[in-house]
Amino acid sequence: MTQGFNTTAMPVFVDGITESNSAFGATESGEAVFFNTRIVQRMSLEEGQMVYAHCIPNYEDKRDQIPWRCIRIEEGMDSDAVEGYLHAVAREDRKDKKHNIAVMKKFFEENDEIWTVEEIAIETKLSEEEVESAIQLRPDLFKEVTAYVLVS
């Protein structure tokens, strides 16, 4: 396959498939990745699947929220192969991320309140980047909410 783009290859966890059959995923560092309908259908992507994606920076007007756009998925690398790759190249990094998620989960189990990223970082002794990464990697555990207060 002739490729006209310089891509960045990365393991991506497919978070969800939209009604229009496009998909969104997350990199190990928590950056969002967009998969168009053609790729979703051709590669039979499913929620919860891990893929090895070749990505380019997303369109400039969308880059702030979704930095990457997948243009190709490595064929022949099923979820098990990608998992093996992840373990081989990033074992310590993954261990750190799992630890950070566990620290935050324990913190929230003991503190039933609404917290900002900065407050969570201070209380857990994690960096704000580590907190944000954990939140993005586990949207099933941590939910952003809108809060209101009475103004006088």
Side-chain angles (χ1 to χ4, degrees):
M1 169 192 250
T2 304
Q3 198 168 306
F5 294 102
N6 287 327
T7 63
T8 301
M10 60 186 77
V12 177
F13 178 79
V14 179
D15 288 325
I17 311 286
T18 68
E19 286 183 21
S20 63
N21 220 20
S22 58
F24 292 93
T27 67
E28 281 244 301
S29 61
E31 292 182 302
V33 177
F34 172 75
F35 298 89
N36 67 29
T37 301
R38 181 186 58 79
I39 289 175
V40 171
Q41 291 174 339
R42 181 165 185 259
M43 301 305 293
S44 302
L45 292 186
E46 297 177 3
E47 248 179 69
Q49 184 177 359
M50 186 74 81
V51 297
Y52 197 64
H54 293 263
C55 302
I56 59 174
N58 204 356
Y59 297 107
E60 199 167 317
D61 63 331
K62 296 175 175 39
R63 208 172 288 163
D64 284 344
Q65 292 200 4
I66 303 163
W68 299 102
R69 179 167 51 108
C70 176
I71 62 170
R72 183 168 66 89
I73 292 176
E74 192 78 32
E75 294 191 57
M77 278 193 92
D78 60 13
S79 292
D80 291 338
V82 175
E83 276 296 324
Y85 171 82
L86 289 175
H87 287 291
V89 298
R91 188 169 286 125
E92 280 305 308
D93 189 43
R94 288 173 57 84
K95 180 180 169 191
D96 290 344
K97 284 180 177 27
K98 286 179 183 178
H99 169 77
N100 295 347
I101 290 167
V103 167
M104 286 181 49
K105 185 177 180 203
K106 184 176 190 299
F107 171 75
F108 275 103
E109 288 170 348
E110 295 171 356
N111 298 282
D112 188 23
E113 297 155 10
I114 297 172
W115 299 82
T116 66
V117 169
E118 180 182 20
E119 292 169 332
I120 296 166
I122 291 168
E123 294 294 322
T124 61
K125 309 243 184 311
L126 298 171
S127 72
E128 288 185 34
E129 293 78 21
E130 290 170 322
V131 170
E132 287 176 344
S133 177
I135 289 168
Q136 291 173 348
L137 286 171
R138 291 300 305 271
D140 57 315
L141 289 179
F142 310 111
K143 181 175 175 71
E144 183 176 358
V145 296
T146 303
Y148 296 90
V149 295
L150 177 65
V151 290
S152 41

